[in-house]
Amino acid sequence: MRKPASAAKTLDGHQLFDALLAGLHRVQRKQDYLNRINVYPVPDGDTGTNIAATLSYALETAEVSDSAGETMSSIADAALVGARGNSGIIFAQFLSGLSEAMRDAQSVAKERFVLAAEVARSRAYEAVTRPKEGTILTVMHAWAEALHREADSAQSIAELLRKAGPALSEALEKTRYMLPQLTAAGVVDAGASGFVEFIAGAERFISGKVKAPFLARRVGSHKLSLGDKIELHESGEVRFRYCTEALIAAETIDREALRTSLTPFGDSLIVAGSGERARIHIHTDQPAAVFASLTSTGRVVQQKVDDMLLQYEVAHRRKYPIAIVTDSTCDLPRELIDRYQIQVVPLHLIFGEKEYLDKLTIDSEEFFNLADRASGSEFPTSSQPATGLFNRTFSYLSTYYDSIIAIDVAGALSGTVNSGERAAEAVDGKKKISVLDSRQISSSLGLVVLRAAEALEAGKSHDEIVSEVESYSRKAELLVSVHTLEYFIRGGRVKPVAGWVGKLLNLKPIVTLDAEGNAITIKAFSVRQNVAKIVKMIERRHAESPLRCYAVVHGRNPEGALELAAKIEQAIGLPPLYIEEISPVLALHAGRGTVAVATMQE
């Protein structure tokens, strides 16, 4: 029978794992508190969630063995893959440093433990482009120093941790006065506090205060608690909008060159990892440009983009008790999304081995550039958002809102609604989440979502809005004039022979949606004839039942969109509500030059 960690002079792989598991358990209990005090570098209220998620993923997926070195290596590799947020990535790099120092150890004695803490501290600092004192780095440094200072007098790792504890607490308290944002809010640094809680949990296990059977190796959920709403400290500002993260893989990665290439795009840059993988974190206004740069370095294995400005608004200036969620096929201007605090979950675009988040890590211009160069087998495809992405969105919003209404692209065209429904069922708690099939896409989906947001602003209840979305969907119509059949042909949606004949005859179909959201076509023979036919159809519809509004969208064809909008305005006397470019995932099917109009009846 293995000795308890408190009685042993060394830690084997199982004891080391259990100690880290106890640390995670402590972080999870403090998760909401850490979110509440999160004011640096951006007051977006997710530090506790990010640290818990990083550690949860690492311990859920790691392989545990008798060897401390092998176990720590597995944990560190998994942490790098699952790392989230600024503090989460620094945490992952710290674990990577521990692994580096323990790599060949069957068990870890006091001396190796002290060395590992110093290597981990060093690697964490190296990962951050501009290290700031008063953060998680400060307490990591203080802890490593305290362990070194107390090493000779301590008889065991348990005693060593106990003796280093006061210095760690003192360093955490000092962070309150080391950064102006923390001083103004009167709080310690959230990432630093998360690290202190993690070490405290590990120390309690190693000292025998917490027993491993109680934890039962159950990491549990790392979702946000659905209890009391969190009121965050309002301090600082969101300088760059998007928290952008990626995991890249290549045979060789020059981390300094990578750091240099990414520096111009924003701040809070972290380049972590070792060997053939690197984890990237940056705050930027140009996530698509960041990913275009990264693809020249290696293969992007994972990617995540969070809208920190919207997170800040939700945390500090939430307008409504109900959250409206949609997906990236919803073509609405950014100003309307921001006005109504609409949450957008991105679909995926896939070019061979390269994958992008629609509208976030690729824009229409980059999409068309890549599509024009792609061979037949590499022509892009699209996929619905993963259930996990919806799950994370719903879990986060459930902390702040009384309920959630998700209005998604037509189920006949995408599995997005199904992903949302599965995620809603998996979210813990009693918050109401309704996932609705709009039976629309692009700007017609945009008008349905916008009308739901207006109903929310008018004070309508969750159930009233859900009931009325069905009516909004019936009142919306989309008419798409396809400028070229090339994308339909290359995407396999038109047989090559039929496509060749269509090109020869200069056929330009008009595409619309039926009552169930299926795409159907209305034949036409030229772009000019399409525009004329669309205008007449809208004019007739407006005469039968007055239009509330309409919107025009396009695929890199602003001139065509302006011309169509002008003709419609002349015909019915109403200007367009907006003119917007279609999302890349829609450009995949509609192609360059497309113009479309969506209408909404009263």
Side-chain angles (χ1 to χ4, degrees), residues 241-291:
R241 179 155 194 161
Y242 298 103
C243 177
T244 301
E245 297 176 12
L247 178 68
I248 62 171
E251 289 186 6
T252 58
I253 298 176
D254 185 337
R255 284 171 178 74
E256 284 309 308
L258 186 57
R259 193 189 307 276
T260 299
S261 68
L262 294 176
T263 296
F265 292 115
D267 65 9
S268 297
L269 175 61
I270 302 173
V271 180
S274 59
E276 299 173 348
R277 293 190 297 185
R279 188 88 198 191
I280 314 301
H281 172 282
I282 187 171
H283 292 173
T284 181
D285 287 331
Q286 303 170 275
V290 168
F291 278 85

Side-chain angles (χ1 to χ4, degrees), residues 106 146 271 303 319 330 340 471 487 585:
Q106 185 68 21
V271 180
Q303 55 192 305
K319 293 182 177 181
C330 175
Y340 294 100
S471 172
Y487 286 79
V585 79

